[in-house]
Amino acid sequence: MTAAGHPNQPDNVSSGRASGHDPGDADGHNRSHGHDHADGRTHDHGSDHGHGNGHDHPRGLTGLLASVFRRHSHDSADSIDSALETSREGVRALKISLVALMITAFAQAVVVYFTGSVALLADTIHNFSDALTAVPLWIAFVLGRRAASRRYTYGYDRAEDLAGVFIVFMIALSAVVAGYESIRRLIDPQPLTNVGVVIAAGLIGAAGNELVALYRIRVGRKIGSAALVADGLHARTDGFTSLAVVFGALGVLAGFPLADPLVGLGITVAILFVLKGAATDIFRRLMDSVEPELVDAAETSISTAPGVLGVERLRVRWTGHRLRAEAAVLVDPDIGVIQGHAIAVDVHHRLLHDVPRLIDATVHVSPLDRGGHDHHAALAHHRAVEPGAGTTRD
């Protein structure tokens, strides 16, 4: 017996979301609906789950700028993030940070225009190109809103993780370029001119990139997007590069011309550490890794449901910045189909409330074995090689 989604909801193929908290509802999930639990209690959802709770979000440029400086929060009852809203928040973060990076690059371009510095020109072009790495992630967030199809039955959320792979490669490329340039300047030192201007341009680049990095990382962690966090780390590596320019120029002013390439090598090492963290996060997402505390929350939620006698199997995985779960629960073998289904629906409902960013869960009900009878005997030869039959703590 398996329950997935609320009754009278279209299935995955037709709607793209099986969850009763469908992020794609036209009304923004701002309607009241009641749920009867297996233990007879009734839980009513009013407007707590939606965003139509009496405040409007400003749109356009004013809204984008306001969202940077204004802390946005909802009532604690709104514990289930709307998947659609988090996608919009991710896109909004990319838009704002892209504008900020472009302003930074244009400011450096102005310095280049008045100084004619070839080195600064190269750094400015580098910043322009790196700002555009937000575009693939932007596309991924937009793709993630598309409904599932008969070919892509889980939807397009994985596009976000693929964009994360691209970003990791860009961070690696930044490390290679920074290392190459530093070694080249050690072997063939070049005189540094317009030192004051170089310092000013480097500070502009470092400040702009670090502000963008902080913003992207904060939003990425808030909505559970490893790819957006990786993009923030990418911006941070660009800030490191600009900071290397500043320290190198200060070294030249202090009478130590080799400071520029030596600082560059140090920044290369720092970028490698950033690369390791970003690559680890993206790799774990691609391998369906999940934070143990989320599994703990799911297990606690299931175990406290009335009628559940044990957790037979539990799997949780990220797809983009959304979570999906599969659970098998043990129940009294003497209950009927209707009561067993009610328990499955109750477990599903509890999971949606208790596990942050969970948008869907499939709950399978199995009778508790009390007489030495294996109710899954027909599957034994498959189960012997089935990976991940349960969960362990590592």
Side-chain angles (χ1 to χ4, degrees), residues 168-327:
V168 167
F169 275 115
M170 292 304 298
I171 296 175
L173 181 61
S174 296
V176 171
V177 171
Y180 172 79
E181 288 296 323
S182 299
I183 294 173
R184 186 180 65 83
R185 289 197 299 270
L186 274 175
I187 297 174
D188 183 21
Q190 297 293 325
L192 188 63
T193 58
N194 298 319
V195 177
V197 175
V198 170
I199 292 175
L203 289 174
I204 291 172
N209 279 288
E210 181 59 21
L211 286 174
V212 166
L214 290 172
Y215 181 49
R216 285 180 178 174
I217 291 171
R218 179 177 65 82
V219 175
R221 287 175 177 166
K222 177 183 176 183
I223 69 174
S225 173
L228 186 54
V229 171
D231 206 24
L233 293 175
H234 179 225
R236 178 161 289 166
T237 62
D238 294 337
F240 286 166
T241 303
S242 296
L243 206 56
V245 172
V246 175
F247 285 124
L250 290 175
V252 171
L253 287 178
F256 185 49
L258 288 180
D260 184 28
L262 291 176
V263 170
L265 288 175
I267 294 299
T268 301
V269 174
I271 293 176
L272 289 176
F273 278 103
V274 173
L275 172 64
K276 178 180 180 296
T280 299
D281 288 343
I282 295 300
F283 173 78
R284 286 176 175 171
R285 286 296 174 93
L286 292 174
M287 291 297 293
D288 286 335
S289 172
V290 69
E291 294 79 356
E293 56 268 24
L294 293 175
V295 180
D296 292 341
E299 285 182 338
T300 301
S301 178
I302 295 171
S303 299
T304 56
V308 173
L309 303 180
V311 179
E312 185 180 38
R313 183 178 64 251
L314 174 62
R315 294 175 180 149
V316 185
R317 66 171 179 170
W318 288 99
T319 54
H321 58 277
R322 299 160 181 168
L323 282 171
R324 301 176 187 272
E326 299 175 14

Side-chain angles (χ1 to χ4, degrees), residues 6 9 18-25 29 33 35 45 49 80-83 349 352-353 358-359:
H6 287 278
Q9 279 282 87
S19 167
H21 295 265
D22 184 10
D25 287 346
H29 200 62
H33 59 280
H35 294 285
H45 298 272
H49 287 288
I80 304 172
D81 293 339
S82 165
H349 185 214
L352 290 172
H353 278 273
L358 183 72
I359 63 163

Side-chain angles (χ1 to χ4, degrees), residues 1-13 15 17-21 154 324-327 340-349 351-352 359-365:
M1 182 184 301
T2 304
H6 287 278
N8 302 323
Q9 279 282 87
D11 59 24
N12 269 5
V13 172
S15 70
R17 294 287 183 269
S19 167
H21 295 265
Y154 281 97
R324 301 176 187 272
E326 299 175 14
H341 180 266
I343 292 173
V345 171
D346 183 42
V347 169
H348 185 184
H349 185 214
L351 286 171
L352 290 172
I359 63 163
D360 193 17
T362 300
V363 181
H364 176 81
V365 175

Side-chain angles (χ1 to χ4, degrees), residues 57 72 101 179 258 264 286 320 330:
H57 299 278
H72 186 87
L101 287 178
L258 288 180
L286 292 174
L330 297 171

